[in-house]
Amino acid sequence: MSTTRDTDVGTTGGATGGDDSAARDAGELGEAGSQLSTAPRETAVPGSFGGARAPGAAGALAWAGREALGWVRWIWRQLTSMRVALLLLLLLSLGAIPGSLIPQSGTDETKVADFRAEHTVLGPLYDRLGLFHVYSSVWFSAIYILLFVSLIGCIVPRTWQFVGQLRGRPPRAPRLLTRLPAYTTWRTAAEPEEVREQALKLLKGRRFRAHRTGDAVSAEKGYLREVGNLAFHIALIVMLTAFAWGQLFKSEGNKLVVEGDGFANTLIQYDDFKSGALFDTDDLEPFSFVLDDFEGTYEETGPNRGTPRTYQATVDYSVGADGAQRKKTIKVNKPLDVDDSKVYLTAHGYAPVVTVRNGKGDVVYRQAVPLLPLDSNSTSTGAIKVMDGYENGKGEREQLGFQAFFLPAYGGDGTAVVSQFPSLLNPVLNLTAYHGDLGVDAGLPQSVYQLEKKNLKEFKNSQGKQLRENLKPGETMQLPNGAGSITFEKGIKEWANFQVTRQPGAGWALAGAFGAIFGLAASLFIQRRRVWVRAVTGPDGVTVVEMAGLGRSESARLPEELGVLAGQLYDLAPGVPDTPDPDPDPGSDPGPDPGPVPGSGSAPAPGSEHETTPE
């Protein structure tokens, strides 16, 4: 068996044009070289779409209409091309970078305000460019919408074209099979009809779509390549739609809950809350929970000392107004799922219980005060604010404030005021006392963890120094001049911070991501190819078998596959020796039969190795 190729041919049916010879070859192949892909052909920019201009105003108007329509069609073809879609996808990725580097108003207004205050030149510039709200800016939305249009405009016509190809049959064999990239031929004693039947059966057995057309069998395989290509683009649309839907209807809020306290999923219950542009408070799932217990254990020795081993919160929750109460343990990356909402455990700290009494000994304040950790050993800080009901030793109404530092594992006197370990080994509450006006009645918002000391005065001890003491559980700090006292109670509670997120479309985005991966893999690793087998009776009455293959692009796999198919068909229709010269020289010695000559169109000897040569 031999393989020959008379001339080079270009990739037919592709998205890009070729040189003159490739175009001529594709034209000679005719229908056989068309529609190996549904990708649209690229078109160059012509000098004019309007053509010849007729004289007069009517001619000018008709020419202008043709010109405008032609440019619109050309721009649409460019917009729906793969090159532009990839360019828009790249621009979308580049446009998302400022959203991760620059503070965003929808995420943290405080950081945005601080950035504007610190950067008097860049702040106004970023405002004009919309860099403080990248994902809702005009330019980012324009890229997003153009990418949608490009993908949809590319997918819809290609899908209909592919459906038409599936409903049709592989094209007829070209007149000259020798012009195809992979080609082989041999002569056989089998009848042409028998060869065609055997070829049809063989190709169908190898999962080719095959049918007989005239004196040849046409077969095609690799349709999953185009399926993967379309699936990839559809998956991209699904992902983009899911991300857009999630950004528009998302919500995210944080709530710090002390052991024994609860939370109901309503807007006023959140410590901070942000949402998408189309979010409605009615979209909040009706559920509530109570923090029953927080458990945290830590490595006590070794290089990982202080690293959490157990970090979980046990809650009793219910869904709806009349929902049954259920228990759930929330761990890191193991949230509580309630419909579309997820409740994550994000932070933990301590809430010392303190009792404040006035000068008469009456309790005016008693509760657990959450303090924020400053380091990995849970050195914590915060403020205790007594706003109502307090009277000093003179019977005057005042407000009290305490700057608090909590150390769950204090190293002892003479050591730094920091905790040595996250667990409650030697808890100490360091307090600094103030009195006066906390500033909460001015109507201006302020942090519950910081003291506004502008209108506060320090309490002084007997030595005239700032009143500051370390208290152990059960100990009390007396305020001077009969101003009252504050007691660090023995019961120390813990708190947990929960993040409640609602991200609609996350499941669709994940499905789109998997679909894009599998679609891309199919479009890269599956080759669409065609095979033709022609069997005709030669001039000497012996059947001539020709086999040829054509793929969308040059690949060594096509000649290899054709060689395997030819070898199997050769076993079913074995070759015969070439016809000897009818007028040999009577005086010459013919010698032994040399067998088939590679490249001459003759068949190999039975049992010999069949091989094909790639283009």
Side-chain angles (χ1 to χ4, degrees):
M1 184 187 313
S2 62
T3 57
T4 60
R5 198 186 86 179
D6 295 339
T7 184
D8 292 339
V9 295
T11 300
T12 58
T16 58
D19 55 16
D20 293 340
S21 63
R24 183 176 62 255
D25 291 344
E28 292 176 357
L29 293 177
E31 184 184 3
S34 66
Q35 295 185 342
L36 268 171
S37 169
T38 57
R41 292 184 179 275
E42 297 289 342
T43 56
V45 182
S48 172
F49 289 101
R53 183 185 303 186
L61 185 61
W63 178 88
R66 293 194 301 270
E67 186 78 7
L69 182 60
W71 277 108
V72 168
R73 288 176 175 173
W74 184 84
I75 292 173
W76 174 255
R77 292 192 188 100
Q78 301 307 306
L79 180 61
T80 56
S81 66
M82 182 58 61
R83 181 178 62 251
V84 173
L86 292 176
L87 177 62
L88 290 172
L89 193 60
L90 175 63
L91 290 177
L92 193 70
S93 303
L94 295 176
I97 294 177
S100 60
L101 300 179
I102 301 173
Q104 298 296 292
S105 57
T107 304
D108 197 328
E109 291 284 358
T110 303
K111 289 185 178 180
V112 173
D114 293 342
F115 187 93
R116 288 193 178 106
E118 295 175 4
H119 303 83
T120 56
V121 177
L122 288 179
L125 178 62
Y126 285 1
D127 266 327
R128 287 193 293 270
L129 296 177
L131 297 181
F132 289 124
H133 49 90
V134 168
Y135 304 113
S136 59
S137 62
V138 174
W139 57 268
F140 191 86
S141 300
I143 297 175
Y144 212 89
I145 293 172
L146 284 175
L147 182 57
F148 263 104
V149 173
S150 178
L151 289 175
I152 294 174
C154 178
I155 288 173
V156 172
R158 292 183 68 168
T159 301
W160 284 115
Q161 183 179 350
F162 184 59
V163 170
Q165 293 180 16
L166 290 178
R167 296 178 62 184
R169 289 184 171 187
R172 296 173 59 89
R175 184 173 61 86
L176 297 176
L177 291 179
T178 55
R179 300 191 63 83
L180 296 182
Y183 172 81
T184 186
T185 182
W186 72 93
R187 292 152 48 87
T188 181
E191 293 297 325
E193 184 69 19
E194 180 183 354
V195 174
R196 289 192 286 266
E197 287 294 335
Q198 294 290 351
L200 183 64
K201 182 178 179 181
L202 171 64
L203 292 170
K204 286 186 175 181
R206 295 295 295 266
R207 298 189 302 277
F208 278 82
R209 295 181 65 210
H211 72 110
R212 294 178 54 179
T213 55
D215 59 358
V217 174
S218 300
E220 188 166 2
K221 191 177 182 180
Y223 288 89
L224 285 179
R225 177 188 180 97
E226 192 65 27
V227 173
N229 196 3
L230 294 174
F232 172 75
H233 291 84
I234 293 173
L236 282 182
I237 293 180
V238 171
M239 289 174 59
L240 293 173
T241 304
F243 287 142
W245 186 269
Q247 289 295 318
L248 291 174
F249 292 93
K250 73 173 183 177
S251 66
E252 181 180 299
N254 289 280
K255 178 63 178 179
L256 186 150
V257 183
V258 179
E259 287 177 331
D261 292 345
F263 165 78
N265 193 28
T266 58
L267 192 60
I268 60 175
Q269 287 272 302
Y270 285 98
D271 296 331
D272 64 82
F273 186 85
K274 54 182 177 288
S275 62
L278 299 181
F279 174 80
D280 192 286
T281 54
D282 292 337
D283 295 331
L284 291 172
E285 279 78 17
F287 70 90
S288 60
F289 65 84
V290 174
L291 177 59
D292 183 54
D293 178 63
F294 180 88
E295 180 183 359
T297 60
Y298 307 88
E299 293 286 348
E300 298 180 358
T301 59
N304 295 324
R305 184 176 186 271
T307 302
R309 289 191 303 175
T310 305
Y311 202 80
Q312 60 189 33
T314 302
V315 299
D316 297 319
Y317 75 100
S318 61
V319 180
D322 302 322
Q325 194 172 69
R326 289 169 282 184
K327 191 174 289 291
K328 169 73 174 180
T329 299
I330 304 175
K331 302 179 181 180
V332 177
N333 296 327
K334 292 185 178 180
L336 167 65
D337 291 321
V338 181
D339 294 333
D340 289 337
S341 296
K342 295 181 182 294
V343 182
Y344 291 92
L345 174 63
T346 59
H348 155 260
Y350 293 98
V353 181
V354 298
T355 301
V356 179
R357 292 177 173 84
N358 61 17
K360 298 178 181 180
D362 299 329
V363 176
V364 295
Y365 182 91
R366 178 183 174 83
Q367 68 180 52
V369 182
L371 303 178
L372 300 180
L374 299 174
D375 55 32
S376 59
N377 287 326
S378 294
T379 302
S380 306
T381 185
I384 302 171
K385 301 180 181 182
V386 182
M387 296 177 285
D388 300 313
Y390 170 76
E391 293 180 356
N392 58 22
K394 299 178 182 179
E396 299 172 345
R397 300 184 68 85
E398 275 190 318
Q399 294 176 332
L400 294 179
F402 300 88
Q403 186 68 52
F405 286 90
F406 179 72
L407 291 74
Y410 182 44
D413 295 337
T415 63
V417 187
V418 293
S419 177
Q420 306 297 318
F421 196 74
S423 295
L424 294 172
L425 302 180
N426 182 29
V428 166
L429 183 62
N430 179 278
L431 295 174
T432 305
Y434 300 86
H435 65 101
D437 182 10
L438 293 171
V440 295
D441 298 328
L444 298 176
Q446 61 176 244
S447 173
V448 296
Y449 303 104
Q450 295 179 346
L451 283 178
E452 179 60 57
K453 301 177 183 178
K454 181 179 180 181
N455 298 316
L456 292 177
K457 298 179 181 179
E458 299 176 348
F459 279 106
K460 304 291 184 178
N461 58 19
S462 58
Q463 300 175 355
K465 297 182 180 179
Q466 183 186 53
L467 181 62
R468 181 174 182 176
E469 294 185 15
N470 288 337
L471 302 180
K472 292 186 176 181
E475 294 184 346
T476 300
M477 181 174 73
Q478 296 292 334
L479 301 178
N481 302 321
S485 64
I486 180 170
T487 301
F488 177 22
E489 302 292 346
K490 293 183 178 180
I492 301 175
K493 295 185 177 182
E494 298 182 70
W495 59 261
N497 190 77
F498 297 95
Q499 184 180 78
V500 183
T501 63
R502 185 177 181 274
Q503 191 77 30
W508 284 101
L510 181 62
F514 279 112
I517 293 173
F518 289 119
L520 183 61
S523 63
L524 290 177
F525 297 110
I526 297 177
Q527 183 187 20
R528 190 169 173 187
R529 63 273 194 200
R530 290 171 180 162
V531 172
W532 292 275
V533 180
R534 175 174 286 145
V536 295
T537 302
D540 56 356
V542 179
T543 301
V544 177
V545 182
E546 290 182 293
M547 289 189 68
L550 176 66
R552 183 184 173 188
S553 57
E554 298 290 344
S555 172
R557 290 183 297 174
L558 176 63
E560 292 173 1
E561 185 175 28
L562 185 68
V564 173
L565 292 172
Q568 294 177 347
L569 185 58
Y570 185 88
D571 293 337
L572 300 174
V576 297
D578 287 340
T579 303
D581 188 352
D583 295 320
D585 186 355
S588 64
D589 184 6
D593 183 8
V597 180
S600 65
S602 60
S608 64
E609 182 178 353
H610 316 299
E611 74 177 1
T612 57
T613 303
E615 179 183 0

